[in-house]
Amino acid sequence: MAASAIPNTTTLRSCLYPRLIATRDRSLELVKPLSAEDMVVQPMDDASPTKWHLAHTTWFFETFVLAKFLPGYRVFDETFNFCFNSYYESQGARQPRGMRGLLTRPSVDRVMSYRQHVDEALSRLVDLLPGDQPEVDRLIEIGINHEEQHQELLLMDLLALFAANPLRPAYIPGKPSIMSDAAASPLRWSEYKGGLIEFGHDGRGYAWDNEYPRHQAFVRPFKLANRLVTNGEWVAFIQDGGYRDADHWLADGWNMVQREAWQCPLYWEACGADWKQMTLEGLRPLEKAAPVCNVSYFEADAFARWSGHRLPTEFEWELAARELPSHAGTFTPELKPVASQDDEQLRQMYGSVWQWTQSAYAPYPGYSPPPGAIGEYNGKFMVSQQVLRGASCITPPGHSRASYRNFFYPHQRWQFAGLRLAADI
């Protein structure tokens, strides 16, 4: 996920520290339903064990805040830098990403002790620092947002793990399915004139460095679908041979379909003539009116072509989203059908699924990464990936804003990602 930020002018004691504690506590709340065995396993190279997420976010605060600013700080365990560094070349060698599941040691209990050690040190740091400390504030703010991103990744990775388990366990209790055969509301369109428009974060509040600098881009007139593509519409795509007709697919996407034998979205399972979907509530009947989820960019692009439309650019999406009220996010891990409607008002821009755009993840004009290790968070990943906009049902509050740029490789499917259609006018 994205990262590295602008300085924040709020004081550590009055604003940031309560948020820091709340964020750290939320991570522990998320893992309460899990066993120690659940927290160690890695289902695929892209997904990390729960234990690793808890330790890595703690390592971030230890490495970039405490070791630098707390006098006399004692590193909890020197070996943890190798175990829990993610991709920071400046911090030295590390466990390969696809082999994090081999870290049966340190134990979950020791990782929890690590978190307690670092949290207590953060509390001492706040007590010791005199007055405002802009550099500390900035790093704490980054650390909060970084841990929130890992909370989302933790749930994504947990679903991948439970979907690979033949028992199909549920992370949260399932609710009765009463909408599985409900029809979606009619697809309507909102039109936009376009023009030469400013994009990027406006400087008010927190943002990652990849949301800057604010700049102008030209947008041609376009229209945007008022809701997300649904599971029911995806079933029609499958029934029409969508995964069998190369004409709908980019070459790399068609190669993935052939190599991986894709026939439906990730976590879908055929059940006679019907479908079920693995969710954080376990294996559930497919909700036809709910937004399709866990599809790759290649699949989203193929569906858009099949439907006679296209994916929006990230600038089209941002232009449409800025007309809507800001959205705080709900962090409720379930996908809900869109309410019935008879107008063109945009729905589901935030809080359902991330939305693939046709825009490649690239730096904005004039972008330069922040200095030091923190600059490794975003800039070096600006190649071969696609931008997603919006936020999903598992995105923490505060990460839903019009300028937010998420990014994944076009073949990846375990993100809670779907699509919204666009078209030229």
Side-chain angles (χ1 to χ4, degrees):
M1 312 255 311
S4 223
I6 60 169
N8 192 291
T9 57
T10 58
T11 63
L12 185 58
R13 286 187 183 86
S14 64
C15 297
L16 283 181
Y17 187 66
R19 285 178 49 218
L20 170 62
I21 296 306
T23 302
R24 300 284 287 165
D25 288 346
R26 188 184 300 120
S27 294
L28 298 181
E29 286 293 323
L30 287 177
V31 304
K32 279 186 175 179
L34 305 181
S35 68
E37 292 83 358
D38 291 330
M39 297 170 67
V40 176
V41 184
Q42 180 176 18
M44 61 178 181
D45 287 356
D46 285 333
S48 299
T50 298
K51 179 182 74 175
W52 188 90
H53 287 295
L54 294 176
H56 167 69
T57 51
T58 304
W59 170 89
F60 185 98
F61 285 110
E62 179 178 67
T63 301
F64 298 120
V65 179
L66 296 174
K68 184 176 180 181
F69 293 102
L70 181 59
Y73 175 73
R74 177 181 60 84
V75 172
F76 183 80
D77 190 320
E78 295 287 352
T79 67
F80 280 17
N81 189 70
F82 180 88
C83 294
F84 302 121
N85 180 7
S86 53
Y87 47 71
Y88 292 91
E89 300 289 345
S90 61
Q91 303 306 308
R94 57 204 171 276
Q95 177 79 349
R97 179 172 183 171
M99 300 176 68
R100 291 171 182 168
L102 300 181
L103 294 170
T104 58
R105 304 291 178 92
S107 67
V108 171
D109 285 344
R110 186 152 174 80
V111 167
M112 292 303 186
S113 296
Y114 181 36
R115 289 184 65 91
Q116 182 177 2
H117 173 86
V118 166
D119 288 348
E120 289 173 353
L122 287 168
S123 177
R124 295 200 306 274
L125 176 68
V126 171
D127 290 338
L128 287 173
L129 287 178
D132 290 346
Q133 297 287 325
E135 180 63 12
V136 179
D137 287 0
R138 184 180 78 96
L139 290 169
I140 291 286
E141 181 77 81
I142 291 172
I144 290 171
N145 281 267
H146 169 257
E147 182 148 351
E148 288 172 339
Q149 289 182 323
H150 276 272
Q151 291 167 356
E152 182 169 0
L153 284 167
L154 186 155
L155 293 176
M156 290 165 51
D157 295 353
L158 185 65
L159 177 56
L161 175 64
F162 282 3
N165 188 314
L167 300 180
R168 301 295 191 273
Y171 167 69
I172 55 176
K175 301 179 180 62
S177 179
I178 59 174
M179 297 284 293
S180 59
D181 293 322
S185 59
L187 189 67
R188 302 180 186 277
W189 299 87
S190 296
E191 296 190 355
Y192 299 86
K193 295 179 180 180
L196 188 61
I197 300 166
E198 280 198 340
F199 293 99
H201 198 266
D202 62 9
R204 293 178 293 179
Y206 184 83
W208 298 115
D209 62 286
N210 65 356
E211 299 172 58
Y212 290 97
R214 194 161 174 84
H215 65 288
Q216 289 185 325
F218 181 74
V219 177
R220 296 178 61 84
F222 70 99
K223 59 182 179 179
L224 200 63
N226 66 333
R227 61 164 174 78
L228 300 170
V229 170
T230 67
N231 288 327
E233 289 163 335
W234 205 275
V235 169
F237 173 64
I238 295 172
Q239 292 174 342
D240 196 45
Y243 284 90
R244 301 191 302 271
D245 189 345
D247 288 347
H248 306 314
W249 296 81
L250 296 168
D252 286 349
W254 184 245
N255 289 339
M256 288 294 299
V257 170
Q258 301 300 297
R259 183 166 66 250
E260 302 295 331
W262 288 351
Q263 299 179 24
C264 59
L266 186 64
Y267 307 139
W268 282 30
E269 298 182 20
C271 185
D274 297 319
W275 293 93
K276 290 189 176 181
Q277 180 181 20
M278 184 62 187
T279 73
L280 289 169
E281 297 179 350
L283 191 61
R284 308 277 294 168
L286 189 70
E287 300 275 3
K288 298 291 180 62
V292 69
C293 189
N294 300 117
V295 295
S296 66
Y297 170 79
F298 290 139
E299 291 167 288
D301 179 78
F303 180 95
R305 294 171 190 267
W306 170 79
S307 71
H309 302 103
R310 61 171 175 82
L311 298 177
T313 69
E314 65 169 314
F315 298 125
E316 290 171 339
W317 193 96
E318 183 175 331
L319 175 60
R322 69 173 51 164
E323 297 184 2
L324 303 176
S326 60
H327 190 282
T330 58
F331 205 28
T332 54
E334 59 179 326
L335 293 173
K336 298 179 180 178
V338 67
S340 179
Q341 63 208 55
D342 296 317
D343 56 39
E344 293 78 23
Q345 181 180 349
L346 293 178
R347 311 296 173 100
Q348 301 174 305
M349 292 293 277
Y350 303 102
S352 291
V353 295
W354 288 98
Q355 297 156 55
W356 286 107
T357 74
Q358 64 176 240
S359 297
Y361 180 53
Y364 285 162
Y367 169 83
S368 61
I374 296 298
E376 294 190 56
Y377 205 118
N378 268 325
K380 67 183 184 181
F381 297 111
M382 292 178 170
V383 65
S384 304
Q385 304 196 63
Q386 296 296 127
V387 174
L388 300 96
R389 292 300 194 110
S392 82
C393 59
I394 61 168
T395 303
H399 289 249
S400 301
R401 56 181 175 268
S403 62
Y404 196 109
R405 304 175 79 202
N406 205 346
F407 53 94
F408 281 83
Y409 290 102
H411 67 278
Q412 291 175 319
R413 310 207 290 170
W414 97 110
Q415 169 60 277
F416 278 49
L419 69 152
R420 180 183 303 271
L421 298 174
D424 298 323
I425 296 178

